[in-house]
Structures are given as C-alpha cells and as structure tokens.
Amino acid sequence: MLAIIGWLSLGLIKWVFFQADWRVVTENINLYTFGSYPQQEKWRISLWILFLSGLSLLTLLSPNIYKFRKPLPFLWIITVPLGIYLFSGGFGILTPIPTRYWGGLSLTLILTLCSASIALPLGIILALGRRSDYKLINSICRVYIDVMRAVPLIAVLFFGQLLIPLFLPIDFEVSRFVRAALAFGLFAGAYVAEDIRGGLQAIPLTQYEAAAVLGLTPGQTLQLIIIPQALKTALPALTNQAIGLLQNTSLMAILGLVELLGISRSILANPEFIGKYLEVYIWLAILYWFICTIMALLSRQIEHQLNPLKSFK
C-alpha cells in the first residue's frame, strides 16, 4: 500500500509541477473572486473579504488577544449586514449594484452567511416549537421539519427560483440572490432544528428546576440557561451543517447564479481554456477545502472557549 501511495504521489507531483497548465487559474483569479462585479467598485468586495479574513484570524487568536474577545460576537453579527450593504450599495453613498453582477468566491461567502443567518434562528424556533406542549404548534413544526428533510435540496432551489415569482404581483420582483438565500435558509433550518433539539434533550431536568428555584420566568430560563447550553452541545453538528451549506451553494450554478462552480463552467467554455477540466476542479477542491478547514477551526476555537476545562485534539 505504501508503494502504491508513493507511486501515485510521485505521479501527482509530476503532473502538478510539470504538466498542468495553471494559466486557467492565474489569469482568471479576479473572475474567481469578484465575478462580473464592476471593476471600479471591486474595492468594496475586497474590503468585506479583508474584514471577514481579519475577523476569522482574530477569532482564532482570541485566547492570546484578550482585548478583542468581548467585541468579537458583535463584529460577527454585523458581518452579514455590512456585506450586503457593500455588495449592493445605495443610500446615496455607494453606487447600487444589481445582484446579477455578483459572482465568484464573494457570492459563495455572502450567500452562505446570509443563509446561515436565516437557518439558525429558524432552527431554534422550530426546535422549541417541536417540544411545545401546544399540539397545533408542535404539529406545524413537526410537519415542516419532516417535509423539508424529505424533499431534495435541488427541488427547493427550483421552487425558490422558478415558482415563487409566479405567486408574486407582476410589478414586484425578488432578486435571484434573495430567493436563493431564502431557499437555502428554509431548507437548512429544518436540519438545524433537529440538531438543536438533540442539544435540548441533553439538558437535564435539574436545570429547569434550578431556574424555577431562582425565580426565573420560562422566557428567562430559555434565554439565559437552556438555549445557550443547547447551542453549546449542538455546536459540532451545527458546524457540519454550515460546511454542508457552503458546499451546497455550488448547486446555484444550475440555476444561473455564477458562484465558484458557475465561474469555472464559464471559464471552461472559453476556447483558450477548453479541456482544462482537471486544473479547474483541483483548484476548486483546494479552495473549498481551505474555506471548510477555516470554518472547522473556528468551530473548534469557539468550542474550546465554551469548554475551557475540556481538552480535545
């Protein structure tokens, strides 16, 4: 087995450094990053990606940078609205840019964050509703979760992109980006709900009893004791959902949004780069692996801060 692995590794190294034509990546790096975003406005995307990268670095180094630990949650919260404003512009300050010009890595990242911002609160509400003593609320949440988990994601995306406009007034238009974010968020919310429900079930009844003894109301008990512990328990599963959400954004290439996979398909259609499939898809694999690894490291860092006495590798 070692001999076979060594032979394959030597062949791969030979191909990567001596046979592969990486011009298909180097000459299109701006296209991979910004899509067809206007050249004079690309600084807005660069600023947001730089902000996101710096925030991720601060989070990973936060045990050694104590003065940044308190504002980090607030900075993560404003990441999505800041990104949407920089991407779209408006308010008489930045030039408005329609979503049809968004693309590449920047679209993948903003779509993932927007979808996660919808899925997490929706999942918490559904998980609490499924454990509710009110049969109507319990049944609605149960049916929603079961239906969403039984329907393929691509069907939900097609519904969001093609069928939703049929139910809207003729003069009312919702951009493809908004429809995609809603479809991803509503779909992922059902899976997030089950992860959080597992976290809720792991909380012993003594926690509720202790909260009642302290005089906390049911709302305060959920807000201050139950939900934080459930999220902490469900964090590894939620990280898997976030990584899967990032990878599933590649399905939008089928529906016309030119994220990373859509950009790659358009580049491969260029006569100059026809046949460079292996270089393009290896580059995409490395890029997705890098982003997913950063997400996993961020999750481990948060888990370590929530469980400072628990050692893990």
Side-chain angles (χ1 to χ4, degrees):
M1 290 298 296
L2 290 176
I4 294 175
I5 293 174
W7 176 71
L8 292 175
S9 300
L10 288 176
L12 180 62
I13 292 173
K14 179 181 178 181
W15 179 85
V16 168
F17 290 100
F18 301 104
Q19 297 177 357
D21 183 7
W22 295 110
R23 291 184 306 110
V24 66
V25 175
T26 57
E27 294 183 6
N28 295 288
I29 195 68
N30 285 332
L31 194 60
Y32 272 114
T33 306
F34 305 105
S36 57
Y37 208 81
Q39 179 67 33
Q40 66 276 13
E41 301 293 337
K42 288 182 178 179
W43 64 270
R44 291 150 55 171
I45 308 298
S46 301
L47 179 63
W48 184 75
I49 293 178
L50 182 63
F51 175 81
L52 185 62
S53 302
L55 187 56
S56 300
L57 184 62
L58 281 178
T59 303
L60 292 174
L61 299 178
S62 58
N64 302 319
I65 309 178
Y66 293 100
K67 62 181 179 180
F68 289 108
R69 295 184 65 178
K70 290 185 177 180
L72 276 177
F74 172 75
L75 293 175
W76 277 109
I77 290 174
I78 68 172
T79 299
V80 173
L82 176 64
I84 293 176
Y85 175 66
L86 289 175
F87 276 63
S88 59
F91 299 106
I93 302 176
L94 298 177
T95 304
I97 306 295
T99 56
R100 65 177 178 270
Y101 294 109
W102 303 6
L105 174 63
S106 56
L107 177 60
T108 296
L109 294 176
I110 192 66
L111 181 58
T112 301
L113 290 174
C114 289
S115 303
S117 300
I118 297 172
L120 182 59
L122 177 61
I124 295 175
I125 294 173
L126 290 172
L128 294 175
R130 186 160 183 177
R131 289 170 56 88
S132 174
D133 294 330
Y134 296 97
K135 291 185 178 181
L136 179 60
I137 297 177
N138 186 295
S139 299
I140 292 175
C141 294
R142 183 185 299 273
V143 169
Y144 179 88
I145 292 173
D146 291 342
V147 169
M148 279 297 181
R149 294 175 67 194
V151 176
L153 174 57
I154 190 65
V156 178
L157 294 177
F158 269 109
F159 177 81
Q161 293 294 318
L162 304 177
L163 296 183
I164 286 181
L166 299 178
F167 299 96
L168 298 176
I170 298 178
D171 56 344
F172 187 81
E173 182 179 356
V174 179
S175 68
R176 286 187 174 183
F177 173 81
V178 174
R179 283 178 275 167
L182 286 174
F184 276 115
L186 295 176
F187 181 84
Y191 290 85
V192 170
E194 289 298 280
D195 294 335
I196 295 177
R197 189 167 69 92
L200 292 172
Q201 291 178 341
I203 300 175
L205 292 177
T206 52
Q207 297 288 317
Y208 295 89
E209 296 170 355
V213 170
L214 292 174
L216 299 180
T217 64
Q220 291 174 330
T221 302
L222 285 176
Q223 179 184 355
L224 301 176
I225 298 177
I226 304 304
I227 292 180
Q229 293 187 70
L231 291 176
K232 182 173 67 173
T233 303
L235 184 59
L238 294 176
T239 303
N240 287 338
Q241 295 295 340
I243 292 175
L245 189 59
L246 172 71
Q247 296 171 347
N248 287 334
T249 56
S250 60
L251 293 174
M252 292 311 302
I254 304 174
L255 301 176
L257 283 179
V258 284
E259 41 67 67
L260 283 173
L261 184 58
I263 290 293
S264 300
R265 294 174 64 180
S266 64
I267 291 174
L268 290 173
N270 187 337
E272 184 179 357
F273 302 115
I274 288 179
K276 304 299 181 182
Y277 296 97
L278 198 53
E279 290 88 344
V280 166
Y281 288 117
I282 287 180
W283 158 249
L284 282 183
I286 294 173
L287 191 58
Y288 274 111
W289 170 83
F290 177 77
I291 299 174
C292 292
T293 300
I294 294 297
M295 295 173 66
L297 291 176
L298 289 172
S299 173
R300 290 182 60 185
Q301 180 65 15
I302 295 172
E303 185 178 355
H304 178 66
Q305 293 184 13
L306 294 176
N307 301 276
L309 300 180
K310 179 181 178 181
S311 61
F312 60 90
K313 295 182 179 181

